[in-house]
Amino acid sequence: MSLKKRSQWCLVVSGTVSLILFMTVLYSSNRGQRQSSSSLRHDYQLMGRPLYKLDLSWPKNPEIFTGEVFCVAVNQYAAVVYVGQRGSNVPKVLVFTTEGDFLMSWNTTTLEMPHGMFLADAASKDPTVWITDVGDGPYGHCIKQYSPSGMLLQVLGTPGKAGSGLDPLQFDQPAEIFVHESGEMYIVDGDGGMNNRLIKLSKNQQVLWMHAEKGQSLAQFYIPHSVTVDSAQRVWVADRGNKRIQVFNSITGDWLGTWGSCFTEDAPYSVRLTPDKKYFVVVQLNTNQITLLDAPPVGLIGQCKVVSVIQLAEDVKPHLVDLDLKDGALYVAEIEAQQAQKFTPFSLGGNLL
């Protein structure tokens, strides 16, 4: 082989080796990034009775999440999921199908900092989405009702003005609202503001009863964060600052009981009931856990009992949840991971859950 050909051959080999090394480094880097992203999104462990598994296919385009995800609500009849997120220059509400397809984002300037979300009148021809807004701007400190496409319908509270008044109604960082099928509303107010209140409003938005004292005693609150009502006329409140769940009679407002023994490590942030009424789903943000508790029978509160735990990846920070009342799917809003995730129930003995 001539010297000239040998030099050309060496250059080809050298270039090929360099290209292989470059592609190897690039692949390793991308693989590492994918593994890191996968670890954040999908790593979880089941402890206790396995009730839910992660649906890796939802949503189909996770890159659509662009802010910190705080809340989620499901319309089981329309098969639609609403996701509330925060951040500068990001749409505050994203809308997906329950199959994971992205439908739309709300182009609204009337939302500042969405915190809690509730889907009301799902079975009617005019379902609405209620969102609590904890912003400090001209639209904050109130609760807003929207159409499914994001049109503002009405506002509870005094926009832009924090307060404790009842006439006119005022809030300070309202955390969540639960709208009963009767039209009555249950509101926990607030998320670290001046108020620590559980308020029941009539369908005509008149105050029916209220607990409004800050403290650690019975029927007192410190950052009431989430509320749900069961079919036995019981109101369940995640009393976050006191690391407990308190229970009240939905008709009279009388205190019925407290659960605290399950929350020694971290406080309950969200409380929801599974469609079969067997379990309460409770989120614990700082320990990155979703805990399922046995729902007590009518006439008994007793003590809380952990049945199952979904341990999420570190620093996911789950905040609030909602359930599809048709198929039992669980949707989790995760602040630090900037995403919502879907968990589907295992079929046990032919039952939904």
Side-chain angles (χ1 to χ4, degrees):
M1 180 182 294
S2 68
L3 181 62
K4 182 177 180 181
K5 288 185 176 180
R6 183 178 297 138
S7 298
Q8 291 174 341
W9 184 82
C10 290
L11 286 173
V12 170
V13 171
S14 176
T16 303
V17 170
S18 297
L19 179 61
I20 292 172
L21 287 173
F22 173 76
M23 293 301 293
T24 301
V25 171
L26 180 63
Y27 171 76
S28 299
S29 175
N30 288 340
R31 184 170 179 238
Q33 290 176 0
R34 287 198 301 270
Q35 286 178 339
S36 175
S37 174
S38 175
S39 175
L40 179 63
R41 280 191 51 79
H42 301 318
D43 281 4
Y44 74 103
Q45 292 180 331
L46 296 178
M47 295 177 283
R49 185 180 178 188
L51 296 178
Y52 279 92
K53 58 183 177 181
L54 180 63
D55 183 346
L56 295 172
S57 67
W58 196 97
K60 295 178 181 177
N61 302 102
E63 68 275 7
I64 290 173
F65 296 123
T66 52
E68 296 178 323
V69 176
F70 271 77
C71 50
V72 61
V74 187
N75 184 335
Q76 71 270 27
Y77 297 101
V80 171
V81 182
Y82 300 87
V83 178
Q85 61 176 7
R86 298 184 195 174
S88 301
N89 301 316
V90 303
K92 296 303 189 290
V93 176
L94 305 173
V95 187
F96 301 86
T97 69
T98 54
E99 296 299 316
D101 296 304
F102 176 67
L103 295 177
M104 71 174 82
S105 60
W106 286 4
N107 183 23
T108 178
T109 59
T110 60
L111 264 177
E112 294 180 5
M113 296 176 66
H115 185 276
M117 184 181 287
F118 188 87
L119 198 291
D121 300 317
S124 73
K125 64 178 182 179
D126 297 311
T128 60
V129 183
W130 290 87
I131 302 177
T132 63
D133 192 336
V134 298
D136 289 323
Y139 299 105
H141 298 299
C142 55
I143 305 172
K144 298 155 186 175
Q145 183 188 34
Y146 291 90
S147 73
S149 61
M151 179 182 297
L152 181 62
L153 302 176
Q154 68 168 317
V155 177
L156 297 180
T158 307
K161 187 174 181 180
S164 302
L166 298 178
D167 188 15
L169 196 60
Q170 293 178 311
F171 303 108
D172 186 3
Q173 300 181 43
E176 196 177 62
I177 182 172
F178 183 99
V179 183
H180 192 264
E181 59 186 13
S182 65
E184 295 173 332
M185 303 174 186
Y186 300 81
I187 298 166
V188 280
D189 171 42
D191 185 40
M194 70 178 78
N195 300 329
N196 290 273
R197 306 189 295 186
L198 168 63
I199 305 172
K200 179 182 180 180
L201 300 180
S202 69
K203 186 176 182 178
N204 298 322
Q205 301 172 11
Q206 301 299 309
V207 177
L208 297 178
W209 54 259
M210 175 176 67
H211 292 287
E213 291 187 20
K214 180 181 179 179
Q216 299 178 348
S217 298
L218 306 183
Q220 294 181 340
F221 297 106
Y222 180 41
I223 312 180
H225 198 261
S226 181
V227 58
T228 196
V229 182
D230 67 17
S231 57
Q233 300 179 343
R234 297 178 295 191
V235 184
W236 301 76
V237 179
D239 187 4
R240 192 185 103 189
N242 287 322
K243 290 188 176 181
R244 64 186 180 184
I245 288 177
Q246 295 201 72
V247 192
F248 301 85
N249 182 293
S250 67
I251 305 301
T252 64
D254 293 338
W255 179 88
L256 297 178
T258 298
W259 282 358
S261 61
C262 297
F263 312 115
T264 55
E265 292 188 17
D266 192 19
Y269 275 67
S270 180
V271 57
R272 282 290 182 267
L273 193 61
T274 57
D276 60 3
K277 317 301 182 187
K278 289 183 179 180
Y279 309 104
F280 281 104
V281 181
V282 177
V283 161
Q284 294 169 280
L285 179 143
N286 294 300
T287 55
N288 300 291
Q289 290 182 335
I290 305 166
T291 302
L292 284 96
L293 309 173
D294 260 335
V298 177
L300 178 69
I301 301 299
Q303 296 297 317
C304 55
K305 178 184 177 182
V306 176
V307 177
S308 179
V309 175
I310 303 171
Q311 179 64 59
L312 301 176
E314 186 177 358
D315 293 330
V316 166
K317 303 302 181 189
H319 186 243
L320 293 173
V321 304
D322 200 17
L323 290 111
D324 187 323
L325 299 182
K326 182 178 181 180
D327 64 11
L330 168 65
Y331 295 84
V332 185
E334 300 170 355
I335 298 175
E336 198 70 25
Q338 297 191 4
Q339 66 186 10
Q341 293 197 102
K342 176 183 180 180
F343 291 82
T344 56
F346 285 104
S347 178
L348 300 175
N351 296 324
L352 180 65
L353 292 174

